[in-house]
Amino acid sequence: MGEVCRQGPTEAENVVTSRSGVWWAADHPDRRVPGTLVRAGSTWSLNLVGTLLPLEAHGGAVSLVSPMTIYGMCLGTRCTLAPAYLSGQQEPGKRYAVPRDERAADDDQHSQVWTAHSFLEGDALPNDALFHGASLELTGLSAWWPLSGFGRRRIDPSEVRGYEPPESTVADCGNGLTITIWASLRETSGWNRYHSVVERVCMQVVSDTGLTLTQLQEQVIMPLRSLLAIISHRRVECFNLRLRPLDDNYPDQARFGYPIAVDPGMIDGEAEVAADRPGERPTFTADDTDFRSFIPAWLALAKVNSLPISAAEARHASGVLQTEVVEVVNAAETLHRTTHSEPSDYPLADKVLDILKESERTSRKERNTVYSAVKMTQLRLETRLLQLAEGLGEEFCTWFFQSGAKDWAFVASAIRNALSHGDPTKHRLEHDAEALVGVLRVTQAVIQLRLLVAAGLPHGDPLKALVERDPMFVAVRNQTVANWPALAATMR
């Protein structure tokens, strides 16, 4: 993201305002109640005067009410909350303070609070509504896609009038799904001689057969958000998401290409500015790979690696250290299973099975149980971790692990097994905070890089050249909290 001029605050402010109107449940369209929708932290909170459901439907048991879709109409615009969860309810006590003749016949003396993670403004749409296209922005996308004059050199204000946007890039992801990235200028000005021009990078997703919002988020947005989070080492947000319904008869479709706004007004300006700090760059950019092949490969990889990608993504807050170690090593094991072929034969397991068949004291079920258990141990976790790292290339492994890849795999597998199975150990490294931090950070880096290589990033020396420019990966490579040969020696 480049600029001609910037003055004043550098962080965009949330422009979310409350929305008041009438609301109704999908199953009870005639039961409409007034209420106000506000943004509360990372969720939307709908405060109603009345109840969306008949009172006998839930009997006051808030936790037992199933999530549902809520429709609304605010200032003449239809909107949707989905899925919405009943998070609070108040109702009159047994003794009324008002005379009987003043009591209302309806339920306006009741109130409900519903919470939702997604708010759509523009229409009342069911959960299975299909969308033909979407336009969106991702924090950090501008830094990853530097194919622009603004991103390469300082621009003189006199050049803005002659600005020509760079050619958009289109990736065919198969099954009628295409992703396009382009850049354009956005200008703002004020009466006090303030004028700013910013080049913003945007993304368009088009599906010939249509995608639900959930499918769009899970199959496209979340994988791309995770990709940018991995290479920028910070949390990435999606904003300015707008949708185009898959309906040729949708009103004003020609005039309003993307009439449905998702979570309007929620712009993470701080994260966007942080993603483009001077002197910082992602692990690699679109210039370092073929966007048209890398993005489809990444989306396909994400379909079968949700756990590894989740473990690889940068996070705001940390959890319990032991739990995180188990999670990240398990994710590495899962990634090995999806990127490597399993053994075609199991000689030890077959030998054990033959011995058991000769015994009349074991049933077929018992023999199969033992056979499966022996098969699982034939390719040990230590071997899986080592093979996963070796997929980064021999030259890279020698440099990154400083010839200690085997010791890392041995220590990481032993600590994971001790934490998962709860068996006491003599070395007690599962209680050593420094060893746990080393396993966590190094294993997470291996997952991150192995995912990128599996999607098309080069391995070996070319990968080393990219990683050497990334301060975060270099810091992991130079870590001193875990000496793998020394730790391995204490465990043997």
Side-chain angles (χ1 to χ4, degrees):
M1 183 173 68
E3 294 179 85
V4 172
C5 171
R6 179 188 287 272
Q7 298 179 6
T10 59
E11 296 181 6
E13 297 179 356
N14 278 342
V15 293
V16 176
T17 58
S18 61
R19 293 168 171 81
S20 298
V22 293
W23 306 83
W24 62 95
D27 296 336
H28 301 274
D30 298 329
R31 189 184 184 93
R32 303 194 174 195
V33 297
T36 299
L37 180 70
V38 297
R39 184 73 177 182
S42 61
T43 60
W44 295 91
S45 181
L46 176 60
N47 298 272
L48 298 176
V49 180
T51 59
L52 289 178
L53 299 174
L55 295 179
E56 62 271 16
H58 51 80
V62 174
S63 62
L64 300 181
V65 179
S66 300
M68 65 180 186
T69 300
I70 298 177
Y71 300 139
M73 186 162 58
C74 304
L75 298 176
T77 301
R78 288 181 176 178
C79 43
T80 307
L81 281 171
Y85 302 84
L86 182 59
S87 56
Q89 177 173 293
Q90 289 184 323
E91 55 188 40
K94 294 183 178 180
R95 296 183 179 181
Y96 280 75
V98 297
R100 182 176 295 276
D101 57 354
E102 294 183 17
R103 300 176 190 175
D106 52 27
D107 65 347
D108 62 4
Q109 297 305 299
H110 297 74
S111 66
Q112 286 183 337
V113 178
W114 291 81
T115 300
H117 292 279
S118 181
F119 169 59
L120 279 65
E121 187 175 61
D123 204 350
L125 299 167
N127 287 337
D128 58 356
L130 294 176
F131 299 98
H132 172 63
S135 65
L136 60 115
E137 294 182 62
L138 295 167
T139 53
L141 181 60
S142 295
W144 182 75
W145 198 75
L147 307 176
S148 162
F150 268 33
R152 298 184 183 277
R153 62 184 179 87
R154 185 175 182 84
I155 302 297
D156 188 271
S158 62
E159 298 183 56
V160 175
R161 290 186 178 181
Y163 168 83
E164 293 185 4
E167 183 179 355
S168 59
T169 306
V170 182
D172 184 351
C173 301
N175 297 322
L177 179 69
T178 59
I179 295 178
T180 305
I181 296 183
W182 79 95
S184 62
L185 291 188
R186 293 186 185 177
E187 299 187 43
T188 57
S189 60
W191 62 271
N192 58 343
R193 301 181 181 179
Y194 165 66
H195 188 84
S196 176
V197 180
V198 180
E199 185 181 63
R200 302 298 294 268
V201 178
C202 305
M203 181 177 294
Q204 180 188 56
V205 180
V206 174
S207 173
D208 292 341
T209 57
L211 295 170
T212 66
L213 179 57
T214 298
Q215 291 170 336
L216 174 67
Q217 291 171 333
E218 293 181 351
Q219 299 176 20
V220 181
I221 295 178
M222 289 180 63
L224 294 177
R225 182 180 58 77
S226 297
L227 169 63
L228 295 176
I230 289 172
I231 63 178
S232 65
H233 307 289
R234 55 172 58 93
R235 185 171 177 83
V236 170
E237 304 292 346
C238 173
F239 61 99
N240 287 346
L241 172 60
R242 301 190 69 93
L243 307 172
R244 179 193 306 160
L246 184 66
D247 187 350
D248 293 336
N249 299 320
Y250 200 84
D252 297 327
Q253 177 129 302
R255 182 180 177 187
F256 303 104
Y258 297 92
I260 310 300
V262 181
D263 296 333
M266 294 307 300
I267 301 176
D268 195 338
E270 180 180 359
E272 177 65 2
V273 171
D276 196 35
R277 292 171 181 164
E280 291 191 12
R281 54 160 287 160
T283 308
F284 76 101
T285 69
D287 286 340
D288 299 316
T289 188
D290 183 358
F291 169 85
R292 295 174 179 83
S293 61
F294 184 88
I295 291 300
W298 180 263
L299 296 184
L301 195 66
K303 286 184 179 180
V304 294
N305 285 288
S306 58
L307 177 61
I309 285 182
S310 176
E313 187 176 344
R315 303 178 183 181
H316 275 317
S318 298
V320 178
L321 180 57
Q322 289 84 350
T323 302
E324 286 193 309
V325 169
V326 172
E327 177 186 351
V328 77
V329 178
N330 284 347
E333 182 181 19
T334 301
L335 182 58
H336 177 274
R337 292 180 185 275
T338 61
T339 55
H340 292 72
S341 300
E342 292 295 297
S344 57
D345 57 352
Y346 299 87
L348 179 59
D350 293 338
K351 183 177 180 180
V352 171
L353 182 60
D354 291 339
I355 295 174
L356 292 176
K357 286 181 178 179
E358 296 176 359
S359 172
E360 298 179 354
R361 302 178 60 181
T362 58
S363 65
R364 181 177 181 180
K365 182 178 181 180
E366 290 173 331
R367 291 195 297 270
N368 289 338
T369 299
V370 174
Y371 181 72
S372 299
V374 176
K375 280 177 59 178
M376 290 182 62
T377 61
Q378 193 152 332
L379 189 59
R380 298 183 300 169
L381 174 60
E382 175 187 351
T383 304
R384 292 183 184 277
L385 294 179
L386 182 59
Q387 289 180 356
L388 191 68
E390 290 173 343
L392 301 175
E394 181 179 355
E395 305 89 350
F396 180 87
C397 278
T398 300
W399 170 78
F400 187 76
F401 290 98
Q402 304 176 61
S403 301
K406 291 183 178 180
D407 291 326
W408 158 76
F410 175 66
V411 173
S413 62
I415 289 180
R416 195 292 303 263
N417 290 339
L419 291 173
S420 296
H421 304 152
D423 297 330
T425 62
K426 293 182 179 180
H427 53 73
R428 295 184 58 81
L429 287 181
E430 68 272 19
H431 303 289
D432 185 330
E434 292 187 346
L436 293 175
V437 170
V439 170
L440 175 63
R441 299 307 177 202
V442 173
T443 306
Q444 185 181 46
V446 171
I447 294 174
Q448 292 170 338
L449 295 172
R450 191 64 186 84
L451 284 167
L452 296 176
V453 169
L457 210 63
H459 63 281
D461 283 332
L463 178 63
K464 176 176 174 287
L466 291 175
V467 171
E468 281 181 319
R469 299 182 301 183
D470 189 314
M472 294 297 292
F473 279 128
V474 171
V476 174
R477 185 257 181 189
N478 296 334
Q479 63 85 23
T480 58
V481 295
N483 184 318
W484 304 122
L487 292 175
T490 66
M491 304 175 71
R492 290 191 171 98

